[in-house]
Amino acid sequence: MIKVSNLYKRFGHLEVLRGVNCHVAPQEVVVVIGPSGSGKSTFLRCLNLLEQPTAGEVVVDGVNLMDPKTDINKVRQEVGMVFQRFNLFPHKTALENITLAPIKVRGMTQHEAEEIAHNLLAKVGLSDKAHAYPDQLSGGQQQRVAIARALAMRPKVMLFDEPTSALDPEMVGEVLAVMKDLAREGMTMVVVTHEMGFAREVGDRVMFMDEGQIVEEGTPEQIFNYPQNERLKVFLSKIL
Amino acid sequence: METVISSLPVLLLGAVITLQITAISVFIGCILGLMAGLSRLSPKRVLRFLATCYVDFFRGTPLLVQIVIVYFGIPQILRDIQNILVKAYGFTPVFENIHPFLAAVIACSLNSGAYIAEIFRAGVQSIEKGQMKAARSLGMTHGQAMRYVILPQAFKRVIPPLGNEFIAMLKDTSLLSVIGFEELFRRGQLIVGATYKAFQIYLTVAFIYLIMVILISRLVDYLERRLKTSD
């Protein structure tokens, strides 16, 4: 579903990604872990070109994103993204947040889009919040609406950029639960997170990034119980 | 005192004309300013360059100079061109002069547009970067994201500075007196010319401006509060 080869990203002199190679199979849940500043989020944003890579190749669902002829807006419709800080549109209700892109980008009728939105709100457990504005919702609720908003485009892949890092601890669970459901339904997911419990339980594969490279990857079992790389061992000893 | 009272109707009509020209200019200025402000944020370099030239010129030169260029300068050039054409092709001249009202609208709108461009640019830039990212991640184009996500939020934030621009323009329209456009101040001048009561008349003129400015700033405050509660 996703194939990344030799991905480089530089900000001026700072080299954030230094030759990342990976692939993600359909329906696979890949969890990316690593210390802050290791390039995880930049890597994720390169997968939908919110960040323009300096060099390398990113192929999503058979489309080469680095090809100048590629319509990136088209690709982004197939790749949902959930942000650390939710980024809901504050001037729109939860329902309108979800229906906006399907109506304006996919060209759905309002009726169709709202039907989808109500189903998604039910799925994330917020049916009663359809007409609430983002600032009337808790962080966890906002993030669940943000997930529903991304799902409304019926993406083939979902990217999660530290989706629980900005949440109060008691709200982390509700968001992770939604993500688990999604994984169970067979959604292809790439998740950057510090939630090791989630990585262990839901991840098909875990990738450990450090200093702009993927230094070790494997099943959660391998990564957490039998780490090989020294830096990974140090990282795990600090957080577990 | 009698002079003041007897000239009040003339001055108040002048105040209406002042309000009119200000409202028209700021309205057109909003359209120009939106286009120029968005162009300054556009990914296209040519647009950015053109908009920057426009904004720099009209913010960097005095409104008074802009007014006389539009009223005296441009018509002269047009007449010169017309003369050449008349000589060459022998048709009857049609263009004589530009109407002061038209010159006033053109000069003030262009000037206002430059300031409003900066207001819109700042308003758009004040919206959190994540909003654009979220909109783009959903497959919206830059234009769609602006239109449906960024601008509706930015509009609320530009209400107070737009109000300030309106007030500034209201006062600056007194400069239109140099082209004989009979707004409030010009009418005051004419009355002073006839009555020699400079102190009383100009003080009255000042008070009329002051009352208009106070009323408008109250109106802007009210609008701002209403928009805040509608969030």
Side-chain angles (χ1 to χ4, degrees):
Chain A
M1 183 61 84
I2 300 176
K3 196 168 171 299
V4 176
S5 21
N6 256 318
L7 187 66
Y8 280 83
K9 174 67 189 177
R10 278 185 214 97
F11 293 104
H13 289 294
L14 188 67
E15 203 159 49
V16 184
L17 296 179
R18 303 187 303 161
V20 176
N21 294 289
C22 80
H23 66 93
V24 178
Q27 308 213 326
E28 194 177 23
V29 176
V30 173
V31 179
V32 185
I33 61 171
S36 50
S38 59
K40 311 180 298 277
S41 290
T42 306
F43 164 67
L44 200 67
R45 284 201 294 271
C46 283
L47 299 183
N48 66 355
L49 249 52
L50 277 186
E51 210 74 79
Q52 183 69 37
T54 311
E57 201 159 72
V58 182
V59 179
V60 175
D61 199 26
V63 182
N64 182 358
L65 304 198
M66 298 297 276
D67 184 343
K69 287 196 284 282
T70 298
D71 179 0
I72 186 58
N73 295 319
K74 208 96 201 155
V75 177
R76 289 193 183 125
Q77 292 172 28
E78 314 297 331
V79 182
M81 187 163 208
V82 175
F83 299 86
Q84 182 175 356
R85 304 219 48 96
F86 332 134
N87 297 351
L88 290 181
F89 308 135
H91 60 303
K92 297 198 173 293
T93 62
L95 190 73
E96 291 164 348
N97 261 279
I98 300 171
T99 59
L100 181 67
I103 292 173
K104 301 299 181 191
V105 179
R106 285 253 196 257
M108 277 186 207
T109 65
Q110 181 160 350
H111 182 78
E112 280 175 290
E114 281 184 3
E115 195 176 311
I116 291 172
H118 279 298
N119 287 338
L120 285 170
L121 280 172
K123 182 177 167 147
V124 299
L126 292 170
S127 287
D128 53 332
K129 299 290 186 190
H131 300 290
Y133 283 90
D135 63 0
Q136 297 167 320
L137 300 173
S138 72
Q141 290 171 333
Q142 287 189 51
Q143 193 62 300
R144 285 187 278 155
V145 172
I147 293 173
R149 177 175 72 177
L151 289 175
M153 293 297 283
R154 302 211 184 289
K156 295 177 178 144
V157 184
M158 283 285 281
L159 310 175
F160 292 84
D161 188 4
E162 302 197 28
T164 57
S165 298
L167 295 175
D168 290 337
E170 74 265 30
M171 292 170 185
V172 170
E174 61 191 63
V175 171
L176 291 182
V178 169
M179 291 168 63
K180 274 180 210 166
D181 283 345
L182 211 51
R184 214 171 293 132
E185 289 165 17
M187 175 62 78
T188 311
M189 293 161 65
V190 182
V191 185
V192 171
T193 187
H194 295 293
E195 293 295 326
M196 296 306 148
F198 177 85
R200 222 184 253 273
E201 193 185 335
V202 186
D204 294 313
R205 199 145 48 88
V206 176
M207 301 196 302
F208 173 67
M209 270 188 90
D210 193 26
E211 292 179 1
Q213 286 173 320
I214 296 172
V215 286
E216 186 163 344
E217 63 179 300
T219 62
E221 163 92 356
Q222 287 167 342
I223 292 286
F224 291 112
N225 297 348
Y226 309 102
Q228 305 295 313
N229 182 286
E230 277 313 309
R231 283 181 290 181
L232 174 57
K233 285 179 192 165
V234 172
F235 176 73
L236 289 175
S237 69
K238 277 184 194 154
I239 57 160
L240 289 180
Chain B
M1 196 63 201
E2 288 132 60
T3 337
V4 169
I5 291 170
S6 63
S7 56
L8 260 186
V10 177
L11 290 179
L12 287 178
L13 190 60
V16 171
I17 293 169
T18 289
L19 270 178
Q20 228 171 33
I21 192 76
T22 307
I24 294 170
S25 298
V26 172
F27 178 75
I28 299 175
C30 279
I31 298 167
L32 291 174
L34 184 60
M35 293 194 300
L38 289 183
S39 298
R40 293 201 72 176
L41 298 168
S42 163
K44 297 194 179 70
R45 273 180 71 170
V46 188
L47 274 183
R48 278 208 309 271
F49 176 74
L50 290 176
T52 306
C53 289
Y54 165 63
V55 170
D56 283 354
F57 181 80
F58 282 94
R59 293 203 327 156
T61 55
L63 177 57
L64 182 58
V65 176
Q66 294 161 17
I67 292 169
V68 293
I69 288 177
V70 172
Y71 186 66
F72 298 112
I74 307 271
Q76 182 216 307
I77 287 294
L78 290 178
R79 277 194 303 271
D80 288 352
I81 295 171
Q82 184 174 249
N83 286 340
I84 294 167
L85 293 177
V86 167
K87 265 195 198 128
Y89 301 103
F91 64 84
T92 41
V94 281
F95 178 73
E96 187 61 33
N97 254 318
I98 184 171
H99 193 278
F101 180 80
L102 186 61
V105 169
I106 292 172
C108 292
S109 301
L110 285 171
N111 181 273
S112 202
Y115 283 94
I116 294 174
E118 288 299 272
I119 293 174
F120 277 127
R121 185 184 58 78
V124 165
Q125 283 180 324
S126 76
I127 304 299
E128 206 217 331
K129 298 274 170 290
Q131 293 289 308
M132 178 57 94
K133 286 200 171 147
R136 296 304 301 271
S137 80
L138 291 163
M140 287 188 216
T141 62
H142 182 84
Q144 285 174 325
M146 271 290 169
R147 179 158 161 215
Y148 301 118
V149 176
I150 308 294
L151 284 180
Q153 297 180 59
F155 276 133
K156 282 183 191 179
R157 297 197 188 171
V158 300
I159 295 280
L162 273 186
N164 288 339
E165 166 59 20
F166 191 94
I167 287 168
M169 187 43 74
L170 183 90
K171 291 184 289 181
D172 285 349
T173 53
S174 55
L175 294 169
L176 293 168
S177 58
V178 294
I179 59 169
F181 181 73
E182 288 191 22
E183 38 67 64
L184 176 53
F185 176 65
R186 176 68 186 158
R187 285 173 173 237
Q189 277 185 319
L190 292 174
I191 294 169
V192 171
T195 63
Y196 300 107
K197 303 268 194 235
F199 179 74
Q200 294 89 326
I201 295 299
Y202 284 142
L203 201 63
T204 310
V205 167
F207 265 110
I208 297 177
Y209 276 113
L210 181 63
I211 291 166
M212 287 197 286
V213 167
I214 289 174
L215 289 180
I216 291 162
S217 60
R218 289 290 136 78
L219 185 72
V220 173
D221 282 351
Y222 169 76
L223 274 181
E224 202 188 333
R225 255 180 290 120
R226 258 198 49 179
L227 281 173
K228 253 195 198 121
T229 48
S230 75
D231 266 342

